Amino acid sequence: MTIDVWRITGQSQIDSYVGRWAELAVVLVNALAVDHTQGRTRPLPETPAERLAALEPALADWRARHPRPPGDGGPLDTGRLAEVATALRPAFLAGPYAGVAELNTLLVRHGAVPNLHGEPPVLAFHAVEADVAGAMAADAGTALAMVIGVGQGERLAACQAAGCELVFFDVTRNASRRFCGLACQNRAKAAAYRARRGGPARKSAT
C-alpha cells in the first residue's frame, strides 16, 4: 500500500513499509485486544487456540495483500502477540501523545533497529534472528512510531460508533474517517435518525 496523500520521505518504498506494518498493528489489536466490536461484546481470547482462531483469518488476509516480510515464518506465539497488541492499542486512542510511552517501551524491549535483510536487501526493524512475535512487534511498533513522529498520529484511530472499539489506519486525504467500516457507519446513521425522530415535535405554524 502506497500512501500518496502524505509522504514521510517522498519514497514510495518507505510509505509502503509504513502502510504494511501499520495495517499489521491494526490486525493484532483488533483480533487480540478489543472486546467491543460493532455493537457487540466479545470476550478477549484467552487460550492459545482462541487467540489463534481470532488472529489467523485477519492475518491471512494481511499476508495475501503484502509480500511475505522477513521474520514471518515459524509458529505464532499468540501469548506474546496478545501482549504486543495490548501495547500497540494505546497509539490508536484519542489524545495528542496517545501510546507514546507504550511504543517506546515496546521498541526497546524488542530491539527495533533499522537494518537490511536478504538479497535484494529489504528494510526491517527487527533482528535477523527474531522470532515471529518479536519481528512483528518491532516492525509494527516502528511503523506506528513513524506515523506519530511525523505529526500524523490522528491517522491511528478507533471507531466512533457506540459499542465498537475496533481500530484502523486512516489513509483518507483529510484524515476524516470515523468508523471501522460500513456496518458501524450505517449503525451510527440509523441511531442519529432515530434520535432525530424521537426528539420534541416541531410546533405547527399558525
Side-chain angles (χ1 to χ4, degrees):
M1 181 179 80
T2 298
I3 306 167
D4 293 323
V5 296
W6 59 281
R7 291 290 194 191
I8 288 178
T9 65
Q11 300 177 40
S12 62
Q13 289 301 315
I14 296 294
D15 292 338
S16 297
Y17 176 91
V18 171
R20 171 194 298 179
W21 291 101
E23 286 182 10
L24 176 66
V26 169
V27 167
L28 294 176
V29 172
N30 285 343
L32 301 175
V34 170
D35 57 5
H36 289 83
T37 65
Q38 299 180 339
R40 300 182 181 90
T41 299
R42 179 190 66 184
L44 292 178
E46 295 182 353
T47 68
E50 290 173 346
R51 289 191 292 262
L52 195 61
L55 182 59
E56 273 196 329
L59 195 56
D61 178 68
W62 174 78
R63 284 172 169 158
R65 289 183 288 108
H66 300 291
R68 188 170 184 177
D72 187 22
L76 289 175
D77 184 339
T78 59
R80 286 182 62 205
L81 287 176
E83 294 174 358
V84 170
T86 299
L88 294 173
R89 186 183 176 206
F92 292 90
L93 304 181
Y97 304 109
V100 168
E102 292 86 350
L103 277 180
N104 281 337
T105 299
L106 179 142
L107 294 174
V108 171
R109 179 179 299 154
H110 294 279
V113 177
N115 62 95
L116 298 171
H117 290 180
E119 296 180 3
V122 176
L123 175 66
F125 281 81
H126 64 269
V128 174
E129 68 275 10
D131 61 13
V132 181
M136 288 183 172
D139 289 339
T142 297
L144 300 192
M146 292 172 77
V147 173
I148 295 170
V150 296
Q152 296 288 339
E154 71 273 13
R155 294 187 179 276
L156 307 175
C159 185
Q160 295 181 30
C164 186
E165 297 175 350
L166 293 174
V167 303
F168 54 88
F169 179 40
D170 184 357
V171 295
T172 60
R173 181 170 297 277
N174 298 317
S176 57
R177 183 175 169 185
R178 298 177 55 213
F179 305 106
C180 64
L182 284 176
C184 276
Q185 181 176 322
N186 291 337
R187 284 196 310 110
K189 286 182 178 179
Y193 175 76
R194 288 194 298 270
R196 290 194 300 271
R197 291 292 300 271
R202 293 182 179 179
K203 292 182 179 180
S204 300
T206 56

